């Protein structure tokens, strides 16, 4: 557990530094589009430039940023001119709702199709689900989101359709392989029901790997939330990240990078720990 | 008896019904981004400007239809002969939205805040005429004089942008004098504006304005969704449409769209003439040549740009002032004609010649250059492609480079590492004084060669002189003469090659009454307090 926490901490800190470096050296950093406002006097343009100019070296900046963060000050967004803590408080619930709902539905649909395929060799379900998963894998997230907008479907479901094909394909292959093992076939030959075989013989074998996939699917859902929120105009973290990147909003981007890193690493670590516990209890 | 009773009951039900229909009316439309500020003095972005227009009370308002100033919180005003002092007589018995009384103290407070040099208010910067402090003298509770250190031409019109803030209200900038106040703001989602219960304006029949009870502004960055919502009847209006969406709406609901004619906005191309720019000397020589710039201008088919790129919803541009600006447009000027033969003659005067289909300068350098524009703007990308084809007609190779906005600004305003740039200009005000920071050679927004210590060309020196002269002249006729000459020099020298003036396109639900779209911003809701909603109310 302590090892996982240490890894998360180091990765988040390095991720934040890497994010800061990329933004700081990106073309257009430290430039404000308000500079083109013809109403502004030379003094105001100069003040704008001073305000957005990088005034210290990157490592010093990052050190100061971390010091302030420890005291609860996440800084102010340059593009939105609001405290970042407030922006995150307002937008995080929306994204968590989208990501949570999307991941849950994606898993439910993926497992609901993968289990019958593996246990009862339902070839028609297998063929249909595989085709559906294949199509969904081929469609870019933004296009899928746009289709939902045009059809007035709930945009949050897009994330479910991004998670579903990966869960289905992985779970299907894993369960089919587990179901084909000799001891499972023996149990089946002895007349154990499908449900019994699944619960007592297949799931224990596949459980740890499925839990590992759960961690990955959180990152997947988070990644998908950016185009979905941008295309569907959902006021969440994904939309904020997009705006921050376009506006070279250094503070906002560092905070978002670190936050997303914490969530995804925590999800992966949780699935690792649970998977490990699952494996040990089986042994 | 019973008949009369039933008749009375019937009338009462009808009255109640109509009252219910009228009460709770809500106008809905979209903002394309989140407002960055609710402080009216710090407004720069469009969304904050919309909120300021809907909530702010001003001393005088420029009627967007007649383009004339009208009294609002000031019943009368007078500018002194020297142009340094303006005196306002204020409306009495006016209250802010929170009930705080309005007086000359509030005007003084607003002006002092606005002119604070540390605030860097864009609104305040328009009033900076010279070194020295702006003073306010409260003469009575309803009379105030504002003294500027130097004359400001068109001074009264600048007050159209100054929303008066309360000096005493604990709600600070949230206490307003305009038709609405901000009742709710959900970040990233929407704003709800409620009718200001203390709004001073009444219609001719004594009914307190505004007619519509509330305005819901949904924050909608995706324009496709905005148009879909308009077509579905979920929002009432789109204040500014582009040509593509205009045609889309017209195909489905032609009654909704309005083309008010050429707007104040223009699209232009300019060459980098900065002496220190990291460009080869021979290219600097091309870009600095009037003949070269004029030849490029004459090689671009503006009619085609208007017809093809803007689907007929644009006009070939003449200069810095759109024909939509009724007073200041120089009617003697015409857009440069598309004439590649004339262009070649001009180029030959500078020693250019065509060899094997490619234009070469007198030293044999092939004429090719790049034009940068902002990525994601389909119209500019299409215009650049068409210009590329036009210039190929005289043997010039043009490379189109699209950059995201911060990278583009870095190049055109900081590193000057570009050859030509295609961008648009948004003119909010009508008065030429608002273009001082573009035309003065020392200004930072003198895009082709900003921040000159002394004018580097004779014609720029002449423009400097004329712009300063018009800014300190109070006689409108003389000012017009000066600025007409500036427009002529800009036409002759073409530091900016003006391409087109986009039309002011908008869409309004047929349920919105009293809407008269105009070319000035805000095109549709400029008379927000007079708008009303009919039976066809937008549904969520």
């Amino acid at each position: 557990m302590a090892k996982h926490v240490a890894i998360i901490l180091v990765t988040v800190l390095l991720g934040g530094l890497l994010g800061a470096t990329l933004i700081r050296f990106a073309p257009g950093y430290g430039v404000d589009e308000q500079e083109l406002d013809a109403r502004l006097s030379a003094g105001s343009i100069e003040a704008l430039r001073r305000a957005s100019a990088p005034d210290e070296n990157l490592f010093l900046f990052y050190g100061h940023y971390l010091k302030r963060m420890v005291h609860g000050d996440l800084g102010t967004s340059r593009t939105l001119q609001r405290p970042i803590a407030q922006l995150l408080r307002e937008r995080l619930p929306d994204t968590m709702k989208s990501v949570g709902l999307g991941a849950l539905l994606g898993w439910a649909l993926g497992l609901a199709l993968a289990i019958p395929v593996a246990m009862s060799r339902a070839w028609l379900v297998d063929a249909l689900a595989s085709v559906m998963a294949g199509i969904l894998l081929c469609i870019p997230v933004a296009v899928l989101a746009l289709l939902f907008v045009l059809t007035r479907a709930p945009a949050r479901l897009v994330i479910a359709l991004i998670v579903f094909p990966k869960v289905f394909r992985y779970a299907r292959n894993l369960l089919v392989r587990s179901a084909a093992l000799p001891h499972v076939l023996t149990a089946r030959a002895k007349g154990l029901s499908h449900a019994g075989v699944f619960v007592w013989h297949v799931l224990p074998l596949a459980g740890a790997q499925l839990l590992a996939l759960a961690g990955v699917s959180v990152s997947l859902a988070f990644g998908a939330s950016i185009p979905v929120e941008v295309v569907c105009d959902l006021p969440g973290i994904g939309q904020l990240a997009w705006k921050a990147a376009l506006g070279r909003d250094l503070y906002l981007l560092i905070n978002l990078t670190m936050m997303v890193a914490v969530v995804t690493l925590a999800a992966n670590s949780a699935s690792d720990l649970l998977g490990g516990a699952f494996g040990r209890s089986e042994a | 008896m019973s008949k009369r009773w039933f008749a009375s009951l019937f009338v009462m039900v009808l009255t109640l019904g109509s009252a219910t229909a009228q009460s709770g009316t809500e106008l809905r439309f979209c903002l394309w981004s989140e407002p960055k500020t609710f402080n009216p003095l710090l407004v720069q972005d469009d969304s904050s400007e919309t909120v300021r227009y809907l909530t702010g009370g001003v001393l005088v308002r420029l009627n967007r239809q007649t383009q004339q100033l009208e009294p609002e919180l000031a019943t009368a005003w007078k500018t002194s002969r020297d142009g340094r002092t303006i005196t306002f007589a204020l409306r009495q018995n006016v209250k802010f939205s929170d009930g705080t009384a309005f007086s000359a103290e509030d005007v003084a407070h607003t002006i002092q805040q606005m002119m604070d040099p540390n605030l860097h208010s864009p609104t305040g910067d328009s009033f900076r005429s010279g070194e020295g402090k702006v003073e306010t003298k409260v003469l009575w509770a309803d009379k105030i004089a504002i003294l500027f250190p130097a004359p400001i031409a068109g001074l009264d019109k600048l007050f159209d942008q100054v929303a008066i803030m309360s000096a005493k209200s604990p709600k600070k900038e949230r206490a307003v004098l305009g038709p609405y106040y901000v009742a709710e703001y959900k970040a990233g989602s929407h704003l709800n504006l409620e009718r200001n219960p203390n709004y001073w304006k009444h219609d001719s029949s004594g009914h307190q304005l505004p007619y519509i009870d509330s305005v819901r502004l949904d924050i909608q960055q995706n324009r496709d969704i905005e148009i879909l919502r308009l077509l579905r009847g979920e929002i009432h209006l789109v204040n500014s449409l582009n040509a593509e969406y205009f045609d889309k709406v017209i195909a489905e609901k032609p009654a909704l769209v309005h083309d008010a004619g050429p707007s104040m906005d223009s699209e232009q191309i300019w060459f980098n003439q900065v002496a220190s720019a990291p460009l080869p000397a021979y290219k600097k020589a091309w870009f600095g040549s009037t003949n070269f710039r004029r030849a490029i201008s004459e090689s671009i088919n503006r009619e085609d740009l208007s017809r093809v790129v803007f689907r007929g919803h644009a006009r070939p541009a003449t200069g810095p002032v759109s024909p939509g600006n009724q007073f200041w447009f120089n009617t003697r000027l015409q857009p440069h004609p598309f004439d590649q033969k004339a262009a070649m003659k001009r180029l030959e005067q500078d020693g250019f010649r065509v060899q094997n289909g490619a234009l070469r300068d007198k030293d044999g350098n092939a004429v090719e250059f790049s034009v940068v524009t902002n990525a994601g703007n389909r119209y500019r990308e299409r215009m650049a492609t068409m210009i590329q084809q036009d210039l190929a007609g005289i043997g010039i190779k043009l490379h189109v480079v699209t950059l995201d906005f911060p990278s583009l600004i870095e190049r055109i305003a900081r590193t000057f590492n570009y050859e030509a740039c295609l961008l648009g200009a948004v003119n909010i005000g009508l008065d030429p004084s608002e273009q001082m920071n573009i035309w003065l050679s020392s200004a930072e927004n003198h895009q082709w060669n900003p921040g000159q210590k002394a004018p580097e060309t004779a014609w720029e020196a002449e423009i400097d002189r004329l712009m300063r002269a018009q800014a300190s002249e109070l006689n409108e006729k003389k000012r017009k003469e000066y600025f007409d000459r500036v427009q002529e020099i800009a036409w002759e020298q073409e530091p900016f090659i003006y391409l087109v003036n986009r039309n002011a396109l908008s869409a309004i639900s047929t349920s919105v009454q009293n809407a008269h779209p105009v070319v000035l911003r805000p095109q549709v809701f400029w008379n927000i307090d007079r708008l009303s909603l009919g039976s066809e109310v937008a549904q969520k």
Side-chain angles (χ1 to χ4, degrees):
Chain A
M1 180 71 175
K3 189 179 136 197
H4 278 279
V5 172
I7 289 173
I8 290 176
L9 199 67
V10 170
T11 315
V12 166
L13 290 175
L14 283 175
L17 180 64
L18 188 67
T21 312
L22 288 173
I23 303 153
R24 186 74 186 268
F25 295 106
Y29 174 74
V31 171
D32 197 320
E33 65 181 83
Q34 290 173 355
E35 285 179 31
L36 297 187
D37 189 335
R39 291 171 300 171
L40 288 179
S41 66
S44 296
I45 291 179
E46 191 49 46
L48 261 178
R49 288 182 176 171
R50 270 201 310 274
S52 50
D55 53 358
E56 53 189 354
N57 82 42
L58 184 66
F59 292 101
L60 263 177
F61 159 80
Y62 195 55
H64 288 155
Y65 162 75
L66 291 176
K67 200 172 154 189
R68 281 199 297 269
M69 191 179 75
V70 170
H71 292 95
D73 176 13
L74 300 182
T76 301
S77 160
R78 192 171 61 82
T79 48
L80 296 170
Q81 293 175 5
R82 295 179 61 202
I84 290 167
Q86 190 187 349
L87 286 170
L88 296 181
R89 259 200 314 276
E90 286 165 355
R91 287 169 177 264
L92 193 59
D94 255 311
T95 301
M96 293 309 278
K97 208 160 106 184
S98 304
V99 167
L101 194 74
L104 221 79
L105 282 174
W107 268 86
L109 190 61
L111 288 181
L113 291 170
I115 293 170
V117 166
M119 299 314 298
S120 60
R121 312 260 169 88
W123 66 269
L124 188 64
V125 177
D126 190 13
L128 288 175
S130 297
V131 168
M132 191 162 81
I135 291 170
L136 287 172
L137 279 173
C138 295
I139 303 176
V141 185
V143 175
L144 207 57
L146 201 58
L147 285 175
F148 269 59
V149 168
L150 293 172
T151 54
R152 302 174 85 167
R156 295 180 203 282
L157 295 185
V158 178
I159 295 177
L161 295 185
I162 302 303
V163 173
F164 154 72
K166 277 148 186 132
V167 170
F168 170 74
R169 289 171 83 98
Y170 188 81
R172 178 203 169 276
N173 293 340
L174 194 65
L175 294 176
V176 165
R177 217 170 34 237
S178 302
L181 290 173
H183 75 281
V184 181
L185 293 176
T186 309
R188 197 175 284 199
K190 284 184 175 173
L192 197 63
S193 67
H194 282 316
V197 170
F198 179 73
V199 172
W200 299 111
H201 295 287
V202 176
L203 195 58
L205 289 171
Q209 292 173 69
L210 284 176
L211 278 170
L213 179 66
V216 176
S217 61
V218 172
S219 329
L220 191 72
F222 251 109
S225 73
I226 296 180
V228 170
E229 287 182 1
V230 170
V231 173
C232 304
D233 263 340
L234 297 176
I237 293 295
Q239 196 189 55
L240 199 61
W242 181 250
K243 279 184 199 169
L246 289 182
R248 312 285 194 273
D249 197 331
L250 183 59
Y251 276 104
L252 188 51
L253 272 169
I254 294 178
N255 280 295
L256 290 173
T257 307
M258 291 174 99
M259 197 192 69
V260 173
V262 167
V263 173
T264 49
L265 288 170
N268 281 314
S269 296
S271 63
D272 281 355
L273 288 170
L274 283 172
F278 198 85
R280 277 196 299 280
S281 69
E282 266 318 291
Chain B
M1 177 67 189
S2 67
K3 266 187 182 174
R4 193 183 286 175
W5 190 84
F6 270 116
S8 307
L9 187 69
F10 183 67
V11 169
M12 269 177 69
V13 168
L14 273 184
T15 316
L16 273 174
S18 77
T20 315
Q22 285 303 310
S23 68
T25 49
E26 183 182 72
L27 181 79
R28 288 167 175 264
F29 61 99
C30 298
L31 298 177
W32 300 338
S33 63
E34 221 154 320
K36 285 185 179 174
T37 180
F38 290 120
N39 183 339
L41 302 178
L42 293 177
V43 165
Q44 268 186 320
D45 57 302
D46 283 347
S47 297
S48 307
E49 175 59 43
T50 298
V51 176
R52 179 171 72 176
Y53 193 88
L54 296 172
T55 60
V58 291
L59 297 174
V60 290
R61 178 64 89 198
L62 183 81
N63 182 315
R64 269 46 179 180
Q65 199 168 33
T66 61
Q67 301 191 2
Q68 298 297 318
L69 272 189
E70 289 177 352
E72 287 271 312
L73 294 168
T75 50
W77 62 95
K78 195 178 174 190
T79 309
S80 65
R81 281 188 178 179
D82 65 0
R84 292 176 54 209
T85 306
I86 186 163
T87 309
F88 290 103
L90 306 179
R91 203 170 287 277
Q92 294 176 335
N93 304 318
V94 174
K95 286 181 178 172
F96 282 87
S97 55
D98 67 339
T100 316
F102 162 68
S103 73
E105 294 287 350
D106 300 308
V107 179
H109 166 75
T110 305
I111 300 299
Q112 280 152 11
Q113 293 266 308
M114 183 175 81
M115 300 314 293
D116 179 352
N118 296 319
L119 189 69
H120 299 296
S121 160
T123 314
D125 279 356
S126 311
F127 288 86
R128 292 193 203 287
S129 55
E131 294 297 318
K133 219 176 159 191
V134 176
E135 287 176 37
T136 51
K137 276 189 187 163
V138 176
L139 304 171
W140 291 289
D142 60 351
K143 198 161 189 180
I144 184 167
I146 305 165
L147 290 77
F148 294 88
I152 303 176
L155 176 60
D156 48 1
K157 291 185 188 72
L158 296 176
F159 283 89
D160 172 75
Q161 303 283 316
V162 184
I164 303 301
M165 301 194 301
S166 171
K168 293 172 196 155
S169 170
K171 290 194 169 178
K172 295 184 175 172
E173 70 252 21
R174 293 291 182 110
V176 294
L177 291 161
Y180 296 94
Y181 69 93
V182 178
E184 187 200 355
Y185 169 42
K186 187 171 185 302
S189 170
H190 66 270
L191 276 104
N192 272 341
L193 310 183
E194 293 291 335
R195 176 212 290 267
N196 175 359
N198 302 316
Y199 189 51
W200 59 273
K201 219 187 266 186
H202 293 74
D203 66 10
S204 53
S205 59
H207 185 284
Q208 191 192 17
L209 298 177
Y211 292 122
I212 296 171
D213 291 317
S214 60
V215 180
R216 184 182 161 102
L217 303 169
D218 288 325
I219 298 163
Q220 192 91 67
Q221 288 166 25
N222 190 326
R223 304 289 318 268
D224 293 312
I225 299 180
E226 186 187 22
I227 301 303
L228 274 175
R229 293 186 64 194
L230 175 83
L231 292 171
R232 287 172 189 162
E234 292 172 4
I235 55 170
H236 289 101
L237 61 94
V238 177
N239 194 47
S240 174
L241 279 174
N242 65 31
E244 202 171 316
Y245 289 130
F246 185 90
D247 284 358
K248 192 175 175 183
V249 177
I250 214 169
E252 292 193 36
K253 293 189 176 175
L256 267 56
V257 290
H258 298 266
D259 183 341
S263 69
M264 301 293 126
D265 305 346
S266 61
E267 296 291 330
Q268 62 253 24
I269 201 167
W270 74 87
F271 290 105
N272 181 357
Q273 296 184 51
V274 177
S276 61
L279 300 176
Y282 64 90
K283 285 196 176 180
K284 285 183 188 169
W286 301 346
F287 303 155
S289 156
T290 306
N291 274 334
F292 182 83
R293 295 193 300 270
R294 288 287 298 267
I296 298 294
S297 175
E298 285 168 346
S299 302
I300 296 171
N301 192 332
R302 291 171 172 79
E303 291 284 355
D304 273 2
L305 292 180
S306 305
R307 191 172 46 82
V308 178
V309 179
F310 294 93
R311 302 173 181 219
H313 302 297
R315 310 270 169 86
T318 308
V321 180
S322 156
N325 189 338
Q326 292 160 11
F327 182 75
W328 294 103
F329 177 65
N330 185 341
T331 49
R332 291 194 297 273
L333 300 175
Q334 293 294 319
H336 288 278
F338 174 59
D339 187 348
Q340 294 198 328
K341 278 185 186 161
M344 276 313 299
K345 276 186 188 162
R346 286 186 193 281
L347 289 168
E348 281 162 10
Q349 284 173 24
D350 277 12
F352 289 91
R353 66 205 180 281
V354 176
Q355 272 182 352
N356 303 324
L359 188 72
R360 292 186 181 276
D361 66 10
K362 60 183 180 216
D363 299 322
N365 298 302
V367 180
E368 57 179 289
F369 56 86
S370 61
V371 62
V372 292
T373 190
N374 57 319
N377 187 315
R378 278 177 281 184
Y379 293 97
R380 293 202 183 120
E381 287 168 6
R382 283 178 203 159
M383 274 198 293
T385 310
M386 288 189 67
I387 293 168
Q388 194 176 39
Q389 288 166 4
D390 284 342
L391 295 187
I394 55 167
I396 294 177
K397 202 169 176 184
L398 177 69
H399 306 281
V400 179
V401 179
T402 57
L403 298 168
D404 72 340
F405 227 72
S407 312
L408 179 73
I409 298 168
E410 187 179 47
R411 288 206 187 194
I412 64 173
R414 299 280 181 88
T415 63
F416 305 114
N417 187 10
Y418 74 102
E419 292 177 333
C421 180
L422 168 61
L423 268 186
V426 175
N427 290 316
I428 296 169
L430 297 172
D431 199 276
S433 290
E434 296 190 29
Q435 297 195 20
M436 289 292 276
N437 289 334
I438 293 171
W439 293 105
L440 288 184
S441 59
S442 57
E444 289 299 323
N445 274 307
H446 190 72
Q447 298 293 358
W448 65 91
N449 190 4
Q452 297 172 39
K453 292 210 165 40
E456 290 177 14
T457 60
W459 58 269
E460 281 174 299
E462 179 63 1
I463 288 181
D464 280 4
R465 188 188 68 78
L466 290 164
M467 285 304 286
R468 289 201 173 99
Q470 70 78 27
S472 55
E473 175 60 59
L474 299 174
N475 182 315
E476 290 276 281
K477 205 176 154 198
K478 276 192 178 172
R479 288 188 70 207
K480 174 88 167 87
E481 281 171 19
Y482 291 136
F483 195 59
D484 275 356
R485 182 64 197 132
V486 171
Q487 292 178 65
E488 284 160 15
I489 297 172
W491 190 92
E492 288 156 10
Q493 296 294 333
E494 295 207 81
F496 285 128
I497 298 172
Y498 288 95
L499 301 170
V500 293
N501 290 116
R502 282 173 279 139
N503 286 8
L505 308 175
S506 55
I508 314 154
S509 160
T510 47
S511 64
V512 179
Q513 290 157 4
N514 303 331
H516 307 287
V518 293
V519 296
L520 292 181
R521 288 162 190 246
Q523 293 91 332
V524 176
F525 56 89
W526 61 273
N527 58 342
I528 183 70
D529 50 10
R530 306 269 171 183
L531 294 183
S532 62
L533 289 177
S535 53
E536 191 194 309
V537 179
Q539 297 155 356
K540 195 175 179 181

